[in-house]
Amino acid sequence: MVKRNGLTSSEVKKQQKIHGLNEMPIGDRHTFLHSLFNVLTEPMFGLLLVAGAIYLIIGSFEDALILLGFIAISIAITLYQQRKSEKAIDALKDLSSPRALVIRDGIKQRIAGKEVALGDLLALEEGSRIPADALLIECHDFLVDESMLTGESEPVDKSNNELIYSGCLVIRGTGMAIVQAIGLKTELGKIGTSLGEIEGLESPLQQDIAVLIKRFAVYGLALSFIVFLIYGIAYQNWLQGALSGISLTMALLPEEFTVILTVFMALGVWRISRQQVLTRHAPVIETLGSINTLCVDKTGTLTLNKMSLQGLATKSEILNLANNSKNLSSDQFELLTYAVLASEIEPFDPMEKAFHEGLSLYRKNHADNYQNFHLAHEYSLDPEFPAMAHLWSSPENSEDHLVAIKGSPEAVMSLCRLTDSQTLDIEKQIATMASEGMRLLGVAKASYRKQSALWPDSIKSFDYEWLGLVGLKDPLRPEVPAAVKQCQDAGIRVIMITGDHAVTAQAIAKQAGINAERHLSGKDIDGMNSDQLTKAVRDTSVFVRIKPEQKLKLVQALQANKEIVAMTGDGINDAPALKAAHVGIAMGQRGTDVAREASSLVLLNDDFSSIVNAIRQGRQIYDNLHKAIIYVIAVHIPIAGAVFIPLLFGAPPMLSPIHILFLEMIIDPTCAIVFEMEPPEQNIMLRPPRDLNQKIFSASNVSMAIIQGFGLMVIVTGLYLSLLHLEYSQNFATTISFGSLVLGNLLLIIVSRSRHEHILNILKRSNPSQKWIIGIAIFSFMALLFIPFLRERFDFSMIGTTGVVLILTSGLMSLFWCELTKFVFKVIPQKSA
């Protein structure tokens, strides 16, 4: 006995306890030991272990111990950052898993595919991905693509009491099915198909960073080998040469780039999900800040997608239901009844829900002659013909059927035998109702006597009689005008695409703040060649009567104008346009699985403002990523200089591996935490989109970092060499110079939080992680000075007032240099980052 209300919540829990979740085995999770092994085999830690071994060889057991202690702390920080990224990814897994529509406790609800339980009642729609093997108990014109299992491209017709299989796609029709097998017990599971991890595509930025790291590694190793030879040949101190070579390699190896990408991408995907947008491919984050054209569907994205019945137009009159308190006439009731008969029995579409609700409201005053009719056949929406029809069998005679059709007024009118005068009257009704912002559908009826086992091939095979127009209203979302203005201020053109009539579309566009002076229809587009369309889309922002496959033409025409295009879509036929767009955005609530699979982003709440928030978040992520990378480049220059320059002047080395490791313990969490948490700059949505082809490591982008880093290097190494020249002890010179480098690093962190604002404005913006990093760094440096054991290991000495003044003075010089550099780059026109 089939339970039409589906499983209860307690039954679901029981089934999941017995049979588990509906998921395939995924790749092995990284265990702690596996993650630890990966960390220890990184080049940086390999160098540190070699340095520790050298300290042991020369008998500096305390130095080796301290070094190993710092290694342990650094490993802990690295593992924490990895775990933070994994948690962000884990939080997205339920969102990114395939969705399923089930009936539980009598309520239709959309859940993660893995939550489907044995015995669940599935509600299947056109475009749905079947989440588990199931038995059809009710279906209408049900066509399934089973090519994933069989390899056959031809869709398969399914009837009641037939099995359908997990992973297959519903091409046409609707149905209800009971889950028979889940997970590994499905046919898909039996052939060993497994779910992959979140897809990790290598983006252009990742490729650039990989090349840069390799170059740094080659140059660093070559230069370090030269240092090693100089110490060995000139000073006969091969072990010191090895330590200095290792120090220089550590200083020149920007392994933080990998940390930055890993953390920023993982947490960036998580942050965007908080804007109700699921990122299916992390590299799309790079593209978000470059979007200059945003193409959106009207219904459900700009509007609330809460349709209400507003008007009925029969041959004799237009009835505005918002101002109506009287009963419907028999013609009006017939029009509304046939609109319901042409809709799904249990509708999911908001328009069809509005028809059902309207009919139930007026039915009590009218005799309903069709309650006992049975749905025998249906013709779904065809991309070439925007209308759908249902055939209902009479309870008295199963061969006699009535046909109910609804669709775009033009399509339905073309099937009815209308005189020129009737056509003109209907067009006047369309203009009147559309001017009031109504979305219109035409409704007609026909009769059919079935005389063979086969149904007619086409929806056009019947002799239709025009019944009238039904008008619906879908109010604009309140937040849309402000969101559209944000886009326009950010240099993003918003284009509205709809299947509605031109007058309705222009009314909504004006309310939203979209330029509605010109519009193009689907018919206009079909009449243009590619060059004409490319020229037409430059100054047109409203497209009406658009079929899904025409979206691809629009994307290609916009891209031919060098525009970076984001496109929304929800249907099977939207997939090519979503795939072709720079950023494809699928609707999460009403979208099909095919649309989701073709897209880069999934809009979980189908809300336009969420797209705008995602663009803002994308710009912020890229901004902060850029700041972190520039900071890393800048801070490595004085560190490398502090190792190499004293050698050129015949001075003892200023930094050893233990000093550099201390600095790395500041740099790593700074680039991965402080900059990742940096709030957006005030003008982030007031500047034009970033050039998609602009490289983050271009000369214009990194020159400021190089100049800032060079200045810090001159200050630190100049201070160190000057103190040695003035015959201060090496320990004192090392202490003061290292303190200067630490302070310069901390000031560089603050300065780098903005590429344009001065430090006083930066400090007004809260960033709690910065306080923690700076506080811990200062406390740790003080510990190195005042704890004798640590002071000896770092070759430091106690400093008095003179030392403090020198460190603070050098810090002020570093701050002045960094701010001056930033000011000069702000005044001199630079290419947009």
Side-chain angles (χ1 to χ4, degrees):
M1 180 71 181
V2 175
K3 293 175 65 174
R4 290 287 176 170
N5 288 334
L7 299 178
T8 63
S9 299
S10 59
E11 287 173 333
V12 170
K13 290 179 182 177
K14 183 179 178 182
Q15 290 289 353
Q16 289 179 342
K17 188 174 182 181
I18 297 172
H19 302 285
L21 295 176
N22 180 38
E23 57 185 358
M24 306 290 181
I26 61 175
D28 294 335
R29 286 299 300 259
H30 288 174
T31 63
F32 173 79
L33 290 177
H34 189 268
S35 298
L36 181 61
F37 176 78
N38 286 342
V39 170
L40 291 175
T41 52
E42 288 181 1
M44 177 63 72
F45 290 104
L47 291 170
L48 290 172
L49 291 174
V50 172
I54 293 174
Y55 278 128
L56 290 174
I57 292 171
I58 63 178
S60 298
F61 297 104
E62 295 87 353
D63 290 336
L65 186 64
I66 291 293
L67 190 65
L68 292 173
F70 278 128
I71 290 174
I73 296 172
S74 186
I75 288 173
I77 292 172
T78 304
L79 291 175
Y80 168 76
Q81 290 168 343
Q82 285 185 359
R83 183 59 190 147
K84 190 174 180 182
S85 299
E86 286 178 2
K87 282 184 176 179
I89 292 172
D90 288 342
L92 297 170
K93 283 196 172 178
D94 279 348
L95 295 176
S96 61
S97 67
R99 315 301 283 172
L101 193 62
V102 299
I103 297 174
R104 289 179 179 172
D105 297 313
I107 300 171
K108 193 178 283 189
Q109 50 189 288
R110 197 171 290 277
I111 62 172
K114 71 175 186 178
E115 298 293 335
V116 171
L118 207 64
D120 253 329
L121 183 57
L122 302 176
L124 299 164
E125 304 164 338
E126 183 176 307
S128 298
R129 182 75 66 182
I130 300 168
D133 289 2
L135 182 69
L136 277 172
I137 59 170
E138 180 184 308
C139 62
H140 306 289
D141 263 7
F142 206 70
L143 200 62
V144 178
D145 176 4
E146 294 186 341
S147 58
M148 178 179 282
L149 281 176
T150 65
E152 298 293 332
S153 58
E154 191 70 25
V156 180
D157 259 314
K158 293 287 184 177
S159 306
N160 290 349
N161 299 316
E162 283 194 71
L163 281 171
I164 52 177
Y165 301 103
S166 176
C168 298
L169 187 69
V170 180
I171 296 297
R172 188 182 69 199
T174 59
M176 307 283 287
I178 302 291
V179 173
Q180 305 291 301
I182 62 173
L184 287 172
K185 298 296 179 69
T186 63
E187 291 301 312
L188 198 61
K190 289 176 183 176
I191 62 174
T193 305
S194 61
L195 289 174
E197 303 270 353
I198 290 179
E199 188 172 351
L201 300 178
E202 193 171 73
S203 69
L205 179 58
Q206 288 171 311
Q207 294 170 3
D208 290 347
I209 285 179
V211 170
L212 191 72
I213 289 176
K214 289 176 183 177
R215 288 177 180 172
F216 266 85
V218 171
Y219 299 151
L221 287 171
L223 199 56
S224 300
F225 186 67
I226 293 172
V227 168
F228 172 68
L229 291 178
I230 291 174
Y231 266 99
I233 296 171
Y235 303 108
Q236 295 298 308
N237 193 341
W238 294 99
L239 288 177
Q240 182 58 56
L243 285 173
S244 296
I246 289 171
S247 299
L248 188 57
T249 304
M250 290 171 62
L252 289 173
L253 186 64
E255 84 291 343
E256 295 90 357
F257 288 156
T258 305
V259 175
I260 291 170
L261 271 184
T262 303
V263 173
F264 272 66
M265 288 303 177
L267 294 181
V269 169
W270 173 73
R271 288 188 186 280
I272 289 177
S273 75
R274 297 176 70 185
Q275 307 297 330
Q276 295 298 302
V277 179
L278 173 66
T279 307
R280 297 191 68 251
H281 307 301
V284 77
I285 292 173
E286 292 180 44
T287 313
L288 283 173
S290 300
I291 293 170
N292 55 27
T293 304
L294 178 56
C295 303
V296 293
D297 293 309
K298 176 182 76 68
T299 304
T301 308
L302 296 177
T303 61
L304 290 171
N305 202 23
K306 292 182 179 177
M307 289 289 186
S308 59
L309 194 62
Q310 292 290 309
L312 297 172
T314 57
K315 296 173 184 176
S316 57
E317 66 172 324
I318 298 175
L319 176 65
N320 191 325
L321 296 174
N323 305 321
N324 175 57
S325 58
K326 66 177 183 177
N327 295 330
L328 300 184
S329 68
S330 57
D331 286 347
Q332 290 161 348
F333 184 74
E334 183 182 35
L335 169 61
L336 181 54
T337 299
Y338 269 84
V340 171
L341 290 172
S343 304
E344 298 296 339
I345 299 172
E346 293 185 5
F348 183 68
D349 184 276
M351 291 189 296
E352 296 186 344
K353 285 182 178 179
F355 295 150
H356 278 267
E357 290 167 4
L359 183 61
S360 64
L361 183 65
Y362 291 103
R363 181 179 280 151
K364 58 186 177 182
N365 297 320
H366 293 270
D368 192 341
N369 300 320
Y370 309 110
Q371 283 187 323
N372 296 322
F373 277 59
H374 174 72
L375 182 61
H377 189 65
E378 64 180 302
Y379 295 91
S380 301
L381 282 170
D382 188 309
E384 299 300 322
F385 195 76
M388 62 183 295
H390 285 175
L391 277 71
W392 297 82
S393 60
S394 167
E396 288 84 19
N397 187 341
S398 60
E399 292 182 358
D400 289 335
H401 297 79
L402 62 86
V403 184
I405 185 172
K406 68 173 174 31
S408 73
E410 296 88 347
V412 178
M413 287 167 65
S414 70
L415 300 179
C416 301
R417 296 178 180 177
L418 299 171
T419 64
D420 291 343
S421 174
Q422 289 173 324
T423 300
L424 187 60
D425 289 341
I426 295 170
E427 287 175 348
K428 288 180 181 178
Q429 289 180 330
I430 290 172
T432 300
M433 297 175 76
S435 66
E436 297 177 11
M438 293 188 199
R439 182 171 186 179
L440 303 175
L441 292 177
V443 180
K445 68 176 182 179
S447 299
Y448 174 69
R449 176 178 284 272
K450 189 176 184 183
Q451 297 176 339
S452 69
L454 300 176
W455 296 100
D457 292 334
S458 171
I459 197 174
K460 302 176 182 179
S461 304
F462 308 99
D463 187 12
Y464 293 103
E465 176 188 347
W466 177 261
L467 292 177
L469 298 164
V470 287
L472 303 108
K473 250 188 180 174
D474 182 11
L476 193 73
R477 291 180 183 267
E479 66 275 11
V480 162
V484 169
K485 187 177 186 307
Q486 282 186 56
C487 286
Q488 293 167 343
D489 290 342
I492 302 170
R493 178 164 67 120
V494 180
I495 290 176
M496 187 180 82
I497 299 173
T498 180
D500 277 355
H501 192 274
V503 179
T504 306
Q506 287 178 304
I508 293 293
K510 287 176 183 177
Q511 293 175 37
I514 297 171
N515 183 358
E517 291 181 9
R518 292 194 58 195
H519 71 271
L520 282 178
S521 69
K523 188 176 181 181
D524 295 332
I525 290 173
D526 285 339
M528 294 178 176
N529 60 37
S530 58
D531 290 337
Q532 290 172 327
L533 182 57
T534 298
K535 185 177 179 180
V537 298
R538 289 174 188 165
D539 56 359
T540 304
S541 297
V542 176
F543 294 86
V544 301
R545 291 295 191 235
I546 298 297
K547 300 172 185 176
E549 63 272 18
Q550 290 173 324
K551 285 186 176 183
L552 178 59
K553 287 185 177 181
L554 287 177
V555 170
Q556 292 170 335
L558 291 165
Q559 289 175 333
N561 289 326
K562 307 300 182 185
E563 298 187 46
I564 308 302
V565 183
M567 169 70 75
T568 67
D570 56 14
I572 295 173
N573 293 322
D574 289 333
L578 293 174
K579 198 76 174 176
H582 294 93
V583 179
I585 306 171
M587 300 297 104
Q589 292 184 347
R590 68 181 190 273
T592 62
D593 287 333
V594 178
R596 293 189 191 100
E597 289 170 12
S599 66
S600 306
L601 302 176
V602 178
L603 198 61
L604 299 177
N605 60 359
D606 295 5
D607 184 350
F608 175 75
S609 62
S610 293
I611 303 176
V612 182
N613 291 336
I615 292 173
R616 181 191 296 106
Q617 193 76 58
R619 287 188 175 194
Q620 179 186 341
I621 291 166
Y622 193 88
D623 259 15
N624 291 346
L625 182 68
H626 180 258
K627 293 171 187 175
I629 288 175
I630 297 308
Y631 161 76
V632 169
I633 293 172
V635 80
H636 273 271
I637 293 172
I639 296 174
V643 175
F644 187 66
I645 290 178
L647 175 64
L648 298 180
F649 287 87
M654 174 183 154
L655 299 181
S656 64
I658 198 170
H659 295 104
I660 296 176
L661 184 54
F662 179 88
L663 293 170
E664 290 292 341
M665 291 174 64
I666 301 173
I667 296 170
D668 281 357
T670 295
C671 64
I673 298 174
V674 173
F675 290 112
E676 198 281 327
M677 294 181 66
E678 179 64 17
E681 297 195 31
Q682 293 180 351
N683 70 337
I684 196 163
M685 292 297 281
L686 295 174
R687 62 188 190 220
R690 178 178 54 84
D691 184 349
L692 189 62
N693 296 318
Q694 177 71 40
K695 298 287 187 181
I696 201 167
F697 294 112
S698 65
S700 61
N701 279 349
V702 301
S703 53
M704 184 170 73
I706 293 171
I707 294 172
Q708 285 180 331
F710 184 81
L712 295 182
M713 180 187 73
V714 171
I715 292 169
V716 171
T717 56
L719 180 60
Y720 177 70
L721 294 173
S722 297
L723 289 171
L724 291 178
H725 180 71
L726 295 172
E727 297 185 351
Y728 282 92
S729 69
Q730 185 189 341
N731 286 0
F732 182 80
T734 299
T735 306
I736 300 303
S737 304
F738 188 76
S740 170
L741 182 54
V742 170
L743 181 57
N745 181 14
L746 296 180
L747 291 170
L748 184 62
I749 292 171
I750 301 173
V751 170
S752 299
R753 286 178 53 198
S754 173
R755 287 175 287 160
H756 309 291
E757 295 181 353
H758 58 73
I759 191 167
L760 295 179
N761 280 344
I762 294 172
L763 290 173
K764 292 177 184 178
R765 292 208 311 270
S766 174
N767 188 327
S769 60
Q770 172 192 273
K771 297 175 183 177
W772 279 101
I773 295 295
I774 292 177
I776 291 172
I778 293 174
F779 177 81
S780 300
F781 180 68
M782 297 299 288
L784 298 183
L785 291 180
F786 290 105
I787 298 175
F789 176 76
L790 294 176
R791 187 170 62 243
E792 292 173 11
R793 303 286 71 77
F794 275 78
D795 295 324
F796 286 168
S797 67
M798 288 298 294
I799 58 173
T801 305
T802 302
V804 173
V805 170
L806 285 172
I807 291 174
L808 292 178
T809 301
S810 68
L812 288 174
M813 292 172 63
S814 299
L815 177 61
F816 175 78
W817 176 257
C818 291
E819 286 289 283
L820 178 63
T821 304
K822 188 192 295 186
F823 175 77
V824 171
F825 271 76
K826 184 178 179 180
V827 173
I828 298 173
Q830 297 289 322
K831 277 190 175 182
S832 172

